[in-house]
Amino acid sequence: MRATSVPQTVFTVVVFVALAGYAFVGGSFGLDLITKIMIYAIFALSLELIAGGVGLVSFGHAAYFGIGAYAAVLLTPKDGAASLVLLLPAAVCAAALYALAVGALSLRTRGVYFIMVTLAFAQMAYYVAHDTPLGGGTDGIYLTQKPAIGEALNLNQPVMIYGFTLVVLAAVFLFLALLNRSRFGHALAGIRVNEQRMRAMSYSTFGYKLAAFTLSGAIAGFAGFLFAVKDGFVNPELMSWHLSGAVLVMVILGGLGHLRGALIGAFAFVLLQEFFKSEAIFGALAKHWHLGLGLAIIVSVTLLPNGLVGLPAEIKRHLAGTPRDNT
Amino acid sequence: MTTATFLIQYLNALQYGLLLFLVASGLTLIFGIMGVINLAHGSFYMTGAYMAYALAPWVEGHLGGGFFVTLAVGVILAVALGYVLEWAFFSYLHEREHLQQVLMTYGLILVFEELRSLIVGDDVHGVKAPEWLAGSIPLGDVMTYPVYRLFMSGVCIVLALAMYWLFRHTRLGMRIRAGSTNREMVQNLGIDVSRLYRVVFAGGVALAVFAGMLAAPVSSVYPGMGNQVLIVCFVVVVIGGIGSIRGALLASLLIGVVDTFGKVLLPQAAGVLVYVLMALILLWKPGGLFKAG
């Protein structure tokens, strides 16, 4: 795996400390926004696990996100709040199961095929939510009672959701960082670099890939669960390919192959979105915020081949005036 | 289902499938040659439909009008657009990873949608078929079938044959086929690959725009129409085998039939059917029906 340098660790720790500190000073709008970003960051981390770690680019990750969200709503009883201890694992398992099934089928393909096949399976889930009355159809459904653990943890207050999401984000980040250093993580990296060789070394690469894919789906489902709890509402758009595309953009924008890339990408994407949406700056053009976002993405692809993570190196290179070594 | 309804649905399936083929063949070509997964391909289809809406009055005023003149102006603009886009956004990405290109095309979708919204607005528009194609022919005792849809199918078939001829019997076609099999080798043989890329990209854009212009009178013109087509075209490309024109044709027709008859026979599951079909075919042949290269 790539070695982690001291400045990078310091950067990550500072980010998490700042996020924790914000819980005490943030207003309700800020807390809600940052919670959303952190949920996307968890989602982006799940994609980073397979896209950056194994080299399997899934273009249908919104399906697992959406299934986690839908499960959170559908499994909550009509007459009262569900227990978080039961509801959360159930939602995560639902997403993981679909990921297991999709992975078992789509991992037979590779490269660009894999991208398109995962997309198509996500569309399948999308149309089930969209066309059948199961999940309220196009209108979606509301989550009236948010899950809780007794009186101790009630996810109705913004600051509680913020804290809970932050803890989950930190745990997922740490877990994936440890995973990358484990035997399993090394095997995944080996598969990314040269799958033939790994097979020659008697690794059952299919099993490793499937395990990583399922785990990734489970984490995406976790993020979806948090999203449903935060908004108290789910609709088929949570499974749409726009969201799959957006999370892929976050990962690539941040820098594929780096855990903190997913973190930076989620922040950059949502903050850019908010920036171009702000009427104070763009006035009447704010309505057309997609234009600015699209142009920003194009500029970043053109200038930053390694994503935002590569920005310091890119600046250093410019100052020193040496040519780019890896394009 | 009576014979007449069956015939109508069958003609609809054929027409939908052939139209899909026009869009998907551009997608599969661009991928086969350039290795670019062009998410913006649906935007080109949308651009075409809006061109049919916006160009017609202009052509009427300046060139004396006419359906074919409008189509020709649209295609010329599309080729120019494709040429410029390839030069401006893709020519320097060839050496980079696929994902960078995916990201680029994602950015382009957003830009196209918003430019469309800024220039023509977000309203749904209808486009009239030319008068000499506006009628319908009787089928059975009570049913009729619009002439324009038959005309569309005919045009698509002519284009498909023209493409077959281009690929099999011209030098350019030979280069494109060779390029999709082994890019490096073609380059080593002294063929200007970046020019080939530009030609293929412009051709793909022109096909999508043409399909959009042709479809406008039938489907009407609305925001987001490109995205819907894009995803179905992905399925076509996956089923047919990436880079294979023959596969794209077969897969388009297959999807046309499954989708059209699915909507009639199993309306609740119509959206899912196409994807189930894809999953089944991939179980049987993971590389698509006609794997190229």
Side-chain angles (χ1 to χ4, degrees), chain B residues 148-191:
Chain B
Y148 186 76
R149 282 177 182 258
L150 287 178
F151 168 76
M152 272 172 84
S153 302
V155 171
C156 291
I157 290 173
V158 169
L159 265 179
L161 289 174
M163 276 165 76
Y164 177 81
W165 174 78
L166 179 82
F167 286 121
R168 287 289 145 189
H169 299 287
T170 65
R171 188 161 280 269
L172 176 67
M174 189 175 71
R175 285 180 184 169
I176 292 175
R177 273 186 295 142
S180 70
T181 315
N182 193 333
R183 240 181 297 174
E184 285 78 15
M185 185 59 86
V186 170
Q187 198 158 16
N188 290 344
L189 288 172
I191 288 165

mmCIF file of all heavy atoms in Angstrom, chain B residues 148-191:
data_model
loop_
_atom_site.group_PDB
_atom_site.id
_atom_site.type_symbol
_atom_site.label_atom_id
_atom_site.label_comp_id
_atom_site.label_asym_id
_atom_site.label_seq_id
_atom_site.Cartn_x
_atom_site.Cartn_y
_atom_site.Cartn_z
ATOM 1 N N TYR B 148 -44.879 8.900 -40.210
ATOM 2 C CA TYR B 148 -43.574 9.418 -39.793
ATOM 3 C C TYR B 148 -42.727 8.349 -39.114
ATOM 4 O O TYR B 148 -41.518 8.277 -39.309
ATOM 5 C CB TYR B 148 -43.744 10.631 -38.869
ATOM 6 C CG TYR B 148 -42.418 11.272 -38.555
ATOM 7 C CD1 TYR B 148 -41.779 12.057 -39.502
ATOM 8 C CD2 TYR B 148 -41.791 11.050 -37.340
ATOM 9 C CE1 TYR B 148 -40.548 12.618 -39.249
ATOM 10 C CE2 TYR B 148 -40.554 11.607 -37.071
ATOM 11 C CZ TYR B 148 -39.932 12.395 -38.028
ATOM 12 O OH TYR B 148 -38.710 12.935 -37.778
ATOM 13 N N ARG B 149 -43.412 7.485 -38.307
ATOM 14 C CA ARG B 149 -42.651 6.436 -37.622
ATOM 15 C C ARG B 149 -42.056 5.452 -38.609
ATOM 16 O O ARG B 149 -40.911 4.994 -38.452
ATOM 17 C CB ARG B 149 -43.536 5.703 -36.618
ATOM 18 C CG ARG B 149 -43.732 6.480 -35.333
ATOM 19 C CD ARG B 149 -44.671 5.747 -34.402
ATOM 20 N NE ARG B 149 -44.899 6.499 -33.181
ATOM 21 C CZ ARG B 149 -44.324 6.227 -32.016
ATOM 22 N NH1 ARG B 149 -43.499 5.219 -31.919
ATOM 23 N NH2 ARG B 149 -44.577 6.953 -30.959
ATOM 24 N N LEU B 150 -42.820 5.138 -39.641
ATOM 25 C CA LEU B 150 -42.290 4.244 -40.678
ATOM 26 C C LEU B 150 -41.103 4.903 -41.363
ATOM 27 O O LEU B 150 -40.077 4.270 -41.617
ATOM 28 C CB LEU B 150 -43.376 3.939 -41.718
ATOM 29 C CG LEU B 150 -44.487 3.002 -41.267
ATOM 30 C CD1 LEU B 150 -45.503 2.837 -42.385
ATOM 31 C CD2 LEU B 150 -43.918 1.650 -40.879
ATOM 32 N N PHE B 151 -41.260 6.209 -41.623
ATOM 33 C CA PHE B 151 -40.190 6.961 -42.263
ATOM 34 C C PHE B 151 -38.914 6.906 -41.407
ATOM 35 O O PHE B 151 -37.813 6.672 -41.909
ATOM 36 C CB PHE B 151 -40.654 8.413 -42.464
ATOM 37 C CG PHE B 151 -39.567 9.349 -42.848
ATOM 38 C CD1 PHE B 151 -39.063 9.353 -44.141
ATOM 39 C CD2 PHE B 151 -39.029 10.234 -41.922
ATOM 40 C CE1 PHE B 151 -38.049 10.223 -44.500
ATOM 41 C CE2 PHE B 151 -38.013 11.104 -42.278
ATOM 42 C CZ PHE B 151 -37.515 11.101 -43.566
ATOM 43 N N MET B 152 -39.099 7.092 -40.071
ATOM 44 C CA MET B 152 -37.949 7.023 -39.163
ATOM 45 C C MET B 152 -37.231 5.690 -39.281
ATOM 46 O O MET B 152 -36.008 5.632 -39.405
ATOM 47 C CB MET B 152 -38.430 7.162 -37.710
ATOM 48 C CG MET B 152 -38.517 8.567 -37.216
ATOM 49 S SD MET B 152 -39.314 8.548 -35.603
ATOM 50 C CE MET B 152 -37.927 8.193 -34.560
ATOM 51 N N SER B 153 -38.009 4.611 -39.220
ATOM 52 C CA SER B 153 -37.402 3.286 -39.319
ATOM 53 C C SER B 153 -36.642 3.148 -40.626
ATOM 54 O O SER B 153 -35.518 2.640 -40.649
ATOM 55 C CB SER B 153 -38.480 2.200 -39.236
ATOM 56 O OG SER B 153 -39.181 2.326 -38.033
ATOM 57 N N GLY B 154 -37.256 3.657 -41.695
ATOM 58 C CA GLY B 154 -36.599 3.566 -42.997
ATOM 59 C C GLY B 154 -35.271 4.300 -43.006
ATOM 60 O O GLY B 154 -34.249 3.762 -43.433
ATOM 61 N N VAL B 155 -35.274 5.523 -42.482
ATOM 62 C CA VAL B 155 -34.039 6.319 -42.456
ATOM 63 C C VAL B 155 -32.965 5.604 -41.642
ATOM 64 O O VAL B 155 -31.798 5.541 -42.034
ATOM 65 C CB VAL B 155 -34.323 7.719 -41.877
ATOM 66 C CG1 VAL B 155 -33.020 8.459 -41.638
ATOM 67 C CG2 VAL B 155 -35.207 8.506 -42.819
ATOM 68 N N CYS B 156 -33.376 5.036 -40.496
ATOM 69 C CA CYS B 156 -32.409 4.337 -39.644
ATOM 70 C C CYS B 156 -31.812 3.150 -40.378
ATOM 71 O O CYS B 156 -30.600 2.897 -40.292
ATOM 72 C CB CYS B 156 -33.069 3.858 -38.354
ATOM 73 S SG CYS B 156 -33.534 5.190 -37.266
ATOM 74 N N ILE B 157 -32.657 2.417 -41.113
ATOM 75 C CA ILE B 157 -32.142 1.252 -41.837
ATOM 76 C C ILE B 157 -31.152 1.697 -42.902
ATOM 77 O O ILE B 157 -30.067 1.112 -43.047
ATOM 78 C CB ILE B 157 -33.310 0.452 -42.460
ATOM 79 C CG1 ILE B 157 -34.105 -0.214 -41.340
ATOM 80 C CG2 ILE B 157 -32.785 -0.600 -43.432
ATOM 81 C CD1 ILE B 157 -35.369 -0.894 -41.790
ATOM 82 N N VAL B 158 -31.499 2.783 -43.615
ATOM 83 C CA VAL B 158 -30.581 3.290 -44.645
ATOM 84 C C VAL B 158 -29.249 3.672 -44.008
ATOM 85 O O VAL B 158 -28.169 3.323 -44.515
ATOM 86 C CB VAL B 158 -31.206 4.509 -45.366
ATOM 87 C CG1 VAL B 158 -30.174 5.195 -46.242
ATOM 88 C CG2 VAL B 158 -32.403 4.068 -46.183
ATOM 89 N N LEU B 159 -29.313 4.343 -42.856
ATOM 90 C CA LEU B 159 -28.073 4.756 -42.193
ATOM 91 C C LEU B 159 -27.263 3.549 -41.728
ATOM 92 O O LEU B 159 -26.034 3.539 -41.820
ATOM 93 C CB LEU B 159 -28.403 5.637 -40.991
ATOM 94 C CG LEU B 159 -28.375 7.130 -41.261
ATOM 95 C CD1 LEU B 159 -28.745 7.890 -40.014
ATOM 96 C CD2 LEU B 159 -26.982 7.553 -41.722
ATOM 97 N N ALA B 160 -27.963 2.540 -41.209
ATOM 98 C CA ALA B 160 -27.266 1.341 -40.751
ATOM 99 C C ALA B 160 -26.529 0.688 -41.920
ATOM 100 O O ALA B 160 -25.374 0.270 -41.789
ATOM 101 C CB ALA B 160 -28.248 0.364 -40.115
ATOM 102 N N LEU B 161 -27.201 0.618 -43.082
ATOM 103 C CA LEU B 161 -26.550 0.037 -44.260
ATOM 104 C C LEU B 161 -25.361 0.885 -44.685
ATOM 105 O O LEU B 161 -24.296 0.355 -45.036
ATOM 106 C CB LEU B 161 -27.559 -0.075 -45.409
ATOM 107 C CG LEU B 161 -28.632 -1.152 -45.228
ATOM 108 C CD1 LEU B 161 -29.658 -1.082 -46.343
ATOM 109 C CD2 LEU B 161 -27.987 -2.535 -45.184
ATOM 110 N N ALA B 162 -25.548 2.213 -44.634
ATOM 111 C CA ALA B 162 -24.444 3.101 -45.017
ATOM 112 C C ALA B 162 -23.248 2.891 -44.091
ATOM 113 O O ALA B 162 -22.098 2.863 -44.526
ATOM 114 C CB ALA B 162 -24.912 4.548 -44.958
ATOM 115 N N MET B 163 -23.544 2.699 -42.793
ATOM 116 C CA MET B 163 -22.448 2.467 -41.855
ATOM 117 C C MET B 163 -21.745 1.152 -42.155
ATOM 118 O O MET B 163 -20.525 1.053 -42.098
ATOM 119 C CB MET B 163 -22.982 2.464 -40.416
ATOM 120 C CG MET B 163 -23.104 3.856 -39.846
ATOM 121 S SD MET B 163 -24.107 3.855 -38.373
ATOM 122 C CE MET B 163 -22.968 3.173 -37.230
ATOM 123 N N TYR B 164 -22.554 0.144 -42.474
ATOM 124 C CA TYR B 164 -21.967 -1.150 -42.820
ATOM 125 C C TYR B 164 -21.006 -0.993 -43.998
ATOM 126 O O TYR B 164 -19.878 -1.477 -43.975
ATOM 127 C CB TYR B 164 -23.084 -2.143 -43.162
ATOM 128 C CG TYR B 164 -22.563 -3.484 -43.598
ATOM 129 C CD1 TYR B 164 -22.163 -4.420 -42.645
ATOM 130 C CD2 TYR B 164 -22.440 -3.807 -44.941
ATOM 131 C CE1 TYR B 164 -21.661 -5.638 -43.029
ATOM 132 C CE2 TYR B 164 -21.942 -5.026 -45.343
ATOM 133 C CZ TYR B 164 -21.549 -5.937 -44.390
ATOM 134 O OH TYR B 164 -21.044 -7.142 -44.781
ATOM 135 N N TRP B 165 -21.474 -0.251 -45.010
ATOM 136 C CA TRP B 165 -20.630 -0.034 -46.183
ATOM 137 C C TRP B 165 -19.357 0.720 -45.798
ATOM 138 O O TRP B 165 -18.246 0.357 -46.182
ATOM 139 C CB TRP B 165 -21.419 0.747 -47.242
ATOM 140 C CG TRP B 165 -20.595 1.133 -48.426
ATOM 141 C CD1 TRP B 165 -20.233 0.321 -49.464
ATOM 142 C CD2 TRP B 165 -19.988 2.397 -48.662
ATOM 143 N NE1 TRP B 165 -19.450 1.006 -50.339
ATOM 144 C CE2 TRP B 165 -19.269 2.289 -49.882
ATOM 145 C CE3 TRP B 165 -19.968 3.610 -47.984
ATOM 146 C CZ2 TRP B 165 -18.555 3.354 -50.409
ATOM 147 C CZ3 TRP B 165 -19.259 4.659 -48.511
ATOM 148 C CH2 TRP B 165 -18.558 4.527 -49.725
ATOM 149 N N LEU B 166 -19.532 1.755 -44.981
ATOM 150 C CA LEU B 166 -18.381 2.555 -44.573
ATOM 151 C C LEU B 166 -17.339 1.705 -43.857
ATOM 152 O O LEU B 166 -16.144 1.806 -44.120
ATOM 153 C CB LEU B 166 -18.856 3.689 -43.654
ATOM 154 C CG LEU B 166 -17.755 4.591 -43.119
ATOM 155 C CD1 LEU B 166 -17.394 5.640 -44.157
ATOM 156 C CD2 LEU B 166 -18.167 5.274 -41.837
ATOM 157 N N PHE B 167 -17.807 0.829 -42.969
ATOM 158 C CA PHE B 167 -16.851 0.055 -42.174
ATOM 159 C C PHE B 167 -16.205 -1.063 -42.971
ATOM 160 O O PHE B 167 -15.050 -1.378 -42.779
ATOM 161 C CB PHE B 167 -17.532 -0.531 -40.933
ATOM 162 C CG PHE B 167 -17.791 0.514 -39.914
ATOM 163 C CD1 PHE B 167 -19.071 0.781 -39.465
ATOM 164 C CD2 PHE B 167 -16.753 1.272 -39.413
ATOM 165 C CE1 PHE B 167 -19.302 1.767 -38.546
ATOM 166 C CE2 PHE B 167 -16.985 2.265 -38.500
ATOM 167 C CZ PHE B 167 -18.254 2.516 -38.064
ATOM 168 N N ARG B 168 -16.986 -1.666 -43.872
ATOM 169 C CA ARG B 168 -16.476 -2.836 -44.580
ATOM 170 C C ARG B 168 -15.709 -2.462 -45.839
ATOM 171 O O ARG B 168 -14.802 -3.179 -46.244
ATOM 172 C CB ARG B 168 -17.634 -3.761 -44.946
ATOM 173 C CG ARG B 168 -18.220 -4.519 -43.782
ATOM 174 C CD ARG B 168 -17.261 -5.581 -43.301
ATOM 175 N NE ARG B 168 -17.391 -5.701 -41.840
ATOM 176 C CZ ARG B 168 -16.584 -6.418 -41.087
ATOM 177 N NH1 ARG B 168 -15.582 -7.073 -41.633
ATOM 178 N NH2 ARG B 168 -16.745 -6.462 -39.788
ATOM 179 N N HIS B 169 -16.077 -1.385 -46.498
ATOM 180 C CA HIS B 169 -15.563 -1.177 -47.846
ATOM 181 C C HIS B 169 -14.832 0.131 -48.057
ATOM 182 O O HIS B 169 -14.592 0.519 -49.190
ATOM 183 C CB HIS B 169 -16.715 -1.287 -48.862
ATOM 184 C CG HIS B 169 -17.361 -2.631 -48.831
ATOM 185 N ND1 HIS B 169 -16.765 -3.759 -49.333
ATOM 186 C CD2 HIS B 169 -18.549 -3.048 -48.317
ATOM 187 C CE1 HIS B 169 -17.556 -4.807 -49.152
ATOM 188 N NE2 HIS B 169 -18.639 -4.404 -48.531
ATOM 189 N N THR B 170 -14.523 0.862 -47.021
ATOM 190 C CA THR B 170 -13.739 2.073 -47.252
ATOM 191 C C THR B 170 -12.463 2.025 -46.418
ATOM 192 O O THR B 170 -12.362 1.257 -45.458
ATOM 193 C CB THR B 170 -14.507 3.347 -46.856
ATOM 194 O OG1 THR B 170 -14.707 3.310 -45.447
ATOM 195 C CG2 THR B 170 -15.846 3.441 -47.552
ATOM 196 N N ARG B 171 -11.539 2.859 -46.804
ATOM 197 C CA ARG B 171 -10.254 2.912 -46.109
ATOM 198 C C ARG B 171 -10.437 3.426 -44.682
ATOM 199 O O ARG B 171 -9.854 2.899 -43.733
ATOM 200 C CB ARG B 171 -9.315 3.827 -46.892
ATOM 201 C CG ARG B 171 -7.905 3.849 -46.427
ATOM 202 C CD ARG B 171 -7.003 4.390 -47.499
ATOM 203 N NE ARG B 171 -6.687 3.382 -48.512
ATOM 204 C CZ ARG B 171 -5.617 2.588 -48.428
ATOM 205 N NH1 ARG B 171 -4.780 2.687 -47.441
ATOM 206 N NH2 ARG B 171 -5.377 1.694 -49.364
ATOM 207 N N LEU B 172 -11.296 4.453 -44.546
ATOM 208 C CA LEU B 172 -11.547 5.001 -43.219
ATOM 209 C C LEU B 172 -12.126 3.921 -42.303
ATOM 210 O O LEU B 172 -11.709 3.761 -41.158
ATOM 211 C CB LEU B 172 -12.515 6.183 -43.319
ATOM 212 C CG LEU B 172 -12.934 6.794 -41.986
ATOM 213 C CD1 LEU B 172 -11.746 7.464 -41.315
ATOM 214 C CD2 LEU B 172 -14.071 7.784 -42.155
ATOM 215 N N GLY B 173 -13.078 3.163 -42.858
ATOM 216 C CA GLY B 173 -13.702 2.099 -42.077
ATOM 217 C C GLY B 173 -12.679 1.075 -41.634
ATOM 218 O O GLY B 173 -12.705 0.584 -40.503
ATOM 219 N N MET B 174 -11.760 0.762 -42.529
ATOM 220 C CA MET B 174 -10.723 -0.209 -42.202
ATOM 221 C C MET B 174 -9.870 0.313 -41.039
ATOM 222 O O MET B 174 -9.554 -0.424 -40.109
ATOM 223 C CB MET B 174 -9.861 -0.431 -43.432
ATOM 224 C CG MET B 174 -8.890 -1.565 -43.320
ATOM 225 S SD MET B 174 -8.050 -1.794 -44.881
ATOM 226 C CE MET B 174 -7.020 -0.351 -44.936
ATOM 227 N N ARG B 175 -9.547 1.604 -41.120
ATOM 228 C CA ARG B 175 -8.726 2.185 -40.041
ATOM 229 C C ARG B 175 -9.472 2.155 -38.720
ATOM 230 O O ARG B 175 -8.890 1.888 -37.673
ATOM 231 C CB ARG B 175 -8.366 3.623 -40.388
ATOM 232 C CG ARG B 175 -7.302 3.680 -41.443
ATOM 233 C CD ARG B 175 -6.941 5.109 -41.774
ATOM 234 N NE ARG B 175 -5.964 5.093 -42.866
ATOM 235 C CZ ARG B 175 -5.612 6.162 -43.529
ATOM 236 N NH1 ARG B 175 -6.142 7.327 -43.236
ATOM 237 N NH2 ARG B 175 -4.718 6.077 -44.482
ATOM 238 N N ILE B 176 -10.781 2.451 -38.784
ATOM 239 C CA ILE B 176 -11.553 2.459 -37.543
ATOM 240 C C ILE B 176 -11.598 1.057 -36.957
ATOM 241 O O ILE B 176 -11.400 0.858 -35.754
ATOM 242 C CB ILE B 176 -12.978 2.998 -37.799
ATOM 243 C CG1 ILE B 176 -12.899 4.481 -38.160
ATOM 244 C CG2 ILE B 176 -13.860 2.803 -36.587
ATOM 245 C CD1 ILE B 176 -14.222 5.091 -38.544
ATOM 246 N N ARG B 177 -11.844 0.070 -37.824
ATOM 247 C CA ARG B 177 -11.888 -1.312 -37.327
ATOM 248 C C ARG B 177 -10.546 -1.706 -36.731
ATOM 249 O O ARG B 177 -10.470 -2.312 -35.664
ATOM 250 C CB ARG B 177 -12.256 -2.264 -38.465
ATOM 251 C CG ARG B 177 -13.750 -2.425 -38.645
ATOM 252 C CD ARG B 177 -14.046 -3.472 -39.680
ATOM 253 N NE ARG B 177 -13.580 -3.061 -41.000
ATOM 254 C CZ ARG B 177 -13.036 -3.890 -41.899
ATOM 255 N NH1 ARG B 177 -12.905 -5.162 -41.622
ATOM 256 N NH2 ARG B 177 -12.637 -3.439 -43.064
ATOM 257 N N ALA B 178 -9.487 -1.343 -37.441
ATOM 258 C CA ALA B 178 -8.158 -1.686 -36.947
ATOM 259 C C ALA B 178 -7.887 -0.976 -35.627
ATOM 260 O O ALA B 178 -7.348 -1.563 -34.695
ATOM 261 C CB ALA B 178 -7.113 -1.297 -37.981
ATOM 262 N N GLY B 179 -8.323 0.281 -35.560
ATOM 263 C CA GLY B 179 -8.080 1.065 -34.355
ATOM 264 C C GLY B 179 -8.778 0.479 -33.148
ATOM 265 O O GLY B 179 -8.257 0.512 -32.034
ATOM 266 N N SER B 180 -9.986 -0.083 -33.359
ATOM 267 C CA SER B 180 -10.694 -0.623 -32.209
ATOM 268 C C SER B 180 -10.079 -1.949 -31.769
ATOM 269 O O SER B 180 -10.285 -2.383 -30.643
ATOM 270 C CB SER B 180 -12.178 -0.799 -32.526
ATOM 271 O OG SER B 180 -12.349 -1.832 -33.444
ATOM 272 N N THR B 181 -9.342 -2.619 -32.650
ATOM 273 C CA THR B 181 -8.714 -3.879 -32.260
ATOM 274 C C THR B 181 -7.374 -3.635 -31.579
ATOM 275 O O THR B 181 -7.092 -4.203 -30.536
ATOM 276 C CB THR B 181 -8.494 -4.786 -33.492
ATOM 277 O OG1 THR B 181 -9.674 -4.755 -34.262
ATOM 278 C CG2 THR B 181 -8.177 -6.191 -33.073
ATOM 279 N N ASN B 182 -6.548 -2.791 -32.187
ATOM 280 C CA ASN B 182 -5.237 -2.553 -31.599
ATOM 281 C C ASN B 182 -4.763 -1.146 -31.954
ATOM 282 O O ASN B 182 -4.225 -0.895 -33.021
ATOM 283 C CB ASN B 182 -4.234 -3.599 -32.112
ATOM 284 C CG ASN B 182 -2.969 -3.569 -31.303
ATOM 285 O OD1 ASN B 182 -2.612 -2.540 -30.735
ATOM 286 N ND2 ASN B 182 -2.290 -4.697 -31.240
ATOM 287 N N ARG B 183 -4.973 -0.257 -30.990
ATOM 288 C CA ARG B 183 -4.677 1.150 -31.224
ATOM 289 C C ARG B 183 -3.200 1.400 -31.486
ATOM 290 O O ARG B 183 -2.822 2.090 -32.424
ATOM 291 C CB ARG B 183 -5.103 1.938 -29.986
ATOM 292 C CG ARG B 183 -6.135 2.978 -30.278
ATOM 293 C CD ARG B 183 -6.491 3.717 -29.023
ATOM 294 N NE ARG B 183 -7.086 2.818 -28.035
ATOM 295 C CZ ARG B 183 -7.380 3.190 -26.797
ATOM 296 N NH1 ARG B 183 -7.108 4.409 -26.396
ATOM 297 N NH2 ARG B 183 -7.927 2.344 -25.955
ATOM 298 N N GLU B 184 -2.343 0.797 -30.645
ATOM 299 C CA GLU B 184 -0.903 1.070 -30.743
ATOM 300 C C GLU B 184 -0.366 0.647 -32.103
ATOM 301 O O GLU B 184 0.446 1.325 -32.718
ATOM 302 C CB GLU B 184 -0.132 0.349 -29.638
ATOM 303 C CG GLU B 184 -0.282 0.989 -28.265
ATOM 304 C CD GLU B 184 -1.611 0.651 -27.628
ATOM 305 O OE1 GLU B 184 -2.280 -0.297 -28.104
ATOM 306 O OE2 GLU B 184 -2.007 1.342 -26.668
ATOM 307 N N MET B 185 -0.861 -0.536 -32.555
ATOM 308 C CA MET B 185 -0.363 -1.061 -33.817
ATOM 309 C C MET B 185 -0.709 -0.110 -34.961
ATOM 310 O O MET B 185 0.133 0.183 -35.814
ATOM 311 C CB MET B 185 -0.977 -2.440 -34.068
ATOM 312 C CG MET B 185 -0.449 -3.136 -35.282
ATOM 313 S SD MET B 185 1.327 -3.375 -35.193
ATOM 314 C CE MET B 185 1.419 -4.919 -34.291
ATOM 315 N N VAL B 186 -1.935 0.401 -34.944
ATOM 316 C CA VAL B 186 -2.364 1.322 -35.997
ATOM 317 C C VAL B 186 -1.464 2.554 -36.007
ATOM 318 O O VAL B 186 -1.030 3.036 -37.051
ATOM 319 C CB VAL B 186 -3.833 1.719 -35.778
ATOM 320 C CG1 VAL B 186 -4.229 2.848 -36.703
ATOM 321 C CG2 VAL B 186 -4.726 0.525 -36.004
ATOM 322 N N GLN B 187 -1.148 3.025 -34.804
ATOM 323 C CA GLN B 187 -0.290 4.194 -34.687
ATOM 324 C C GLN B 187 1.103 3.895 -35.252
ATOM 325 O O GLN B 187 1.677 4.705 -35.971
ATOM 326 C CB GLN B 187 -0.183 4.572 -33.211
ATOM 327 C CG GLN B 187 0.307 5.975 -32.988
ATOM 328 C CD GLN B 187 -0.100 6.467 -31.618
ATOM 329 O OE1 GLN B 187 -0.485 5.682 -30.739
ATOM 330 N NE2 GLN B 187 -0.014 7.756 -31.398
ATOM 331 N N ASN B 188 1.590 2.709 -34.924
ATOM 332 C CA ASN B 188 2.920 2.344 -35.402
ATOM 333 C C ASN B 188 2.967 2.203 -36.909
ATOM 334 O O ASN B 188 4.024 2.317 -37.519
ATOM 335 C CB ASN B 188 3.359 1.024 -34.758
ATOM 336 C CG ASN B 188 3.645 1.211 -33.293
ATOM 337 O OD1 ASN B 188 3.796 2.336 -32.839
ATOM 338 N ND2 ASN B 188 3.702 0.128 -32.551
ATOM 339 N N LEU B 189 1.820 1.911 -37.525
ATOM 340 C CA LEU B 189 1.787 1.778 -38.974
ATOM 341 C C LEU B 189 1.735 3.137 -39.656
ATOM 342 O O LEU B 189 1.594 3.222 -40.875
ATOM 343 C CB LEU B 189 0.595 0.932 -39.407
ATOM 344 C CG LEU B 189 0.740 -0.561 -39.079
ATOM 345 C CD1 LEU B 189 -0.540 -1.302 -39.349
ATOM 346 C CD2 LEU B 189 1.883 -1.167 -39.886
ATOM 347 N N GLY B 190 1.808 4.198 -38.877
ATOM 348 C CA GLY B 190 1.937 5.521 -39.481
ATOM 349 C C GLY B 190 0.615 6.214 -39.739
ATOM 350 O O GLY B 190 0.541 7.118 -40.561
ATOM 351 N N ILE B 191 -0.447 5.776 -39.036
ATOM 352 C CA ILE B 191 -1.724 6.452 -39.229
ATOM 353 C C ILE B 191 -1.901 7.487 -38.127
ATOM 354 O O ILE B 191 -1.604 7.215 -36.959
ATOM 355 C CB ILE B 191 -2.876 5.421 -39.222
ATOM 356 C CG1 ILE B 191 -2.814 4.617 -40.511
ATOM 357 C CG2 ILE B 191 -4.224 6.111 -39.081
ATOM 358 C CD1 ILE B 191 -3.623 3.368 -40.491
#
